[in-house]
Amino acid sequence: MSIDIKKLVLDALKPREISIAELSKAICKIEGVDNVSINVVETDIKTETIRMIIQGNSICYEEVAKVLAENSTALKSVDEIAVSKKITPKLV
Amino acid sequence: MLRRIRRFRKRARKYFSVAGAAELSRRYFVMNSFDGALAILGVVMGAYITGKADAHLIINSGLGLALATGISGFVGAFLSEKAERSRKIKEIEESIMMEIKDSIIYRASKFVTFALAVVDGISPALTIFLTLIPFMIHEISPSALSLQYAMVASIAINLSTLALLGIYLGKIASANRLKYSLLTVAMGLAIVAILFLTGAGV
């Protein structure tokens, strides 16, 4: 049996120097991630609050958090998560 | 090897884009090349109007000037960029309430500080070296190039460098390249004229 994260909706804060194009590409490079969409919710002088929707067949949350840190993006909250369970039938 | 160079170029481009330093590097390059070109033009013309021009002396003075401007440019840019970028990193850390020591912004900042210092150090030294080439040829083989011709060739190279810098400026500004190159060459000619006029009075 394996439980996989299929969808993550994250609220994060990033400096304006980091482009959402680069950030979304960096997240999409993670194994198990298929789609990434980023919306800029709020723009400040130095920062931008973003809402990220990450979808995939097996998203590694720790890896996403690592890529965000690598791109100077602070994770504020996990607003939504979808997981699914897969039972592999045992061969008798 | 070629793949490594390509990878380095790609990373450098990314760092320059993250640190917003492409414009700054162009500015440093033009400003310091211009400085170096005019400084060496002053040395060459100064030597010429004394009437006792000596290729060996001009080369040594020029190389000394290249070294001094190179080191001063490198150290000056490195220290000022380091201070500015450290402040910016602190500001970013405060605004996102997170340490960014392992992030791309931090690495880009460190890389760009060094790269800009190199541009600042090398650009004046390069224009100085170019202007000195005819004198070096004269030193190696005086029969191939007389001192008088070396002097003319040196000034011609210098003015051509200034013209190229002007063209580059015009390209950056997306404006009339000829106008910019005429302006930079006019600056060089003005130095020549001023030194001639003041030198005649000495």
Side-chain angles (χ1 to χ4, degrees):
Chain A
M1 184 186 78
S2 68
I3 298 171
D4 296 315
I5 300 174
K6 301 284 179 187
K7 187 183 177 187
L8 271 174
V9 178
L10 309 174
D11 190 21
L13 186 70
K14 71 162 193 65
R16 294 190 74 176
E17 282 83 355
I18 300 290
S19 80
I20 54 170
E22 291 293 327
L23 184 62
S24 53
K25 276 186 204 166
I27 296 168
C28 214
K29 272 183 193 162
I30 301 171
E31 220 184 289
V33 174
D34 296 327
N35 298 303
V36 177
S37 76
I38 299 180
N39 277 340
V40 177
V41 180
E42 201 182 319
T43 305
D44 209 340
I45 301 168
K46 288 172 193 159
T47 58
E48 278 173 349
T49 302
I50 52 170
R51 186 180 166 84
M52 278 180 284
I53 302 171
I54 305 165
Q55 287 171 307
N57 56 354
S58 175
I59 304 164
C60 176
Y61 174 77
E62 287 76 20
E63 200 60 36
V64 172
K66 199 175 132 192
V67 171
L68 289 179
E70 156 83 4
N71 284 278
S72 319
T73 303
L75 186 58
K76 283 164 77 180
S77 63
V78 179
D79 293 346
E80 194 184 318
I81 188 162
V83 295
S84 83
K85 183 167 73 179
K86 196 163 107 187
I87 299 166
T88 6
K90 277 182 191 166
L91 292 172
V92 184
Chain B
M1 181 73 180
L2 210 70
R3 198 182 293 168
R4 201 178 285 179
I5 293 170
R6 218 174 289 157
R7 213 182 300 155
F8 175 78
R9 274 187 59 185
K10 198 179 164 190
R11 195 181 301 169
R13 216 172 283 166
K14 191 172 182 182
Y15 283 165
F16 266 74
S17 142
V18 169
E23 185 192 318
L24 207 56
S25 69
R26 285 197 295 264
R27 201 178 304 158
Y28 274 174
F29 175 75
V30 174
M31 207 167 68
N32 290 293
S33 301
F34 196 67
D35 263 0
L38 289 189
I40 191 65
L41 186 63
V43 170
V44 173
M45 284 310 298
Y48 178 73
I49 54 178
T50 58
K52 296 166 196 159
D54 174 11
H56 191 67
L57 187 73
I58 295 173
I59 291 170
N60 278 331
S61 314
L63 290 180
L65 182 69
L67 191 73
T69 51
I71 291 174
S72 119
F74 181 86
V75 176
F78 186 81
L79 293 178
S80 59
E81 279 298 321
K82 196 171 164 28
E84 275 293 327
R85 291 191 183 271
S86 298
R87 187 180 61 85
K88 204 168 180 191
I89 293 272
K90 270 184 202 151
E91 277 177 11
I92 291 173
E93 283 181 334
E94 275 166 22
S95 61
I96 63 167
M97 290 169 284
M98 186 180 101
E99 264 205 9
I100 56 165
K101 280 232 160 107
D102 295 321
S103 75
I104 191 168
I105 291 188
Y106 187 77
R107 286 201 304 274
S109 176
K110 275 179 89 173
F111 177 84
V112 155
T113 301
F114 184 74
L116 287 178
V118 169
V119 169
D120 213 64
I122 281 184
S123 48
L126 191 73
T127 47
I128 291 170
F129 187 77
L130 283 174
T131 307
L132 290 178
I133 289 174
F135 295 108
M136 288 173 183
I137 295 172
H138 170 77
E139 272 289 285
I140 295 164
S141 161
S143 56
L145 192 68
S146 72
L147 185 61
Q148 203 70 21
Y149 278 122
M151 193 75 75
V152 173
S154 168
I155 293 168
I157 288 175
N158 192 282
L159 294 177
S160 308
T161 312
L162 287 173
L164 284 174
L165 283 173
I167 291 169
Y168 184 57
L169 274 178
K171 192 184 159 197
I172 293 171
S174 303
N176 192 337
R177 296 175 194 190
L178 184 71
K179 195 177 112 188
Y180 270 95
S181 70
L182 283 176
L183 199 70
T184 49
V185 171
M187 286 307 296
L189 289 173
I191 297 280
V192 172
I194 292 167
L195 283 171
F196 251 120
L197 291 173
T198 52
V202 174

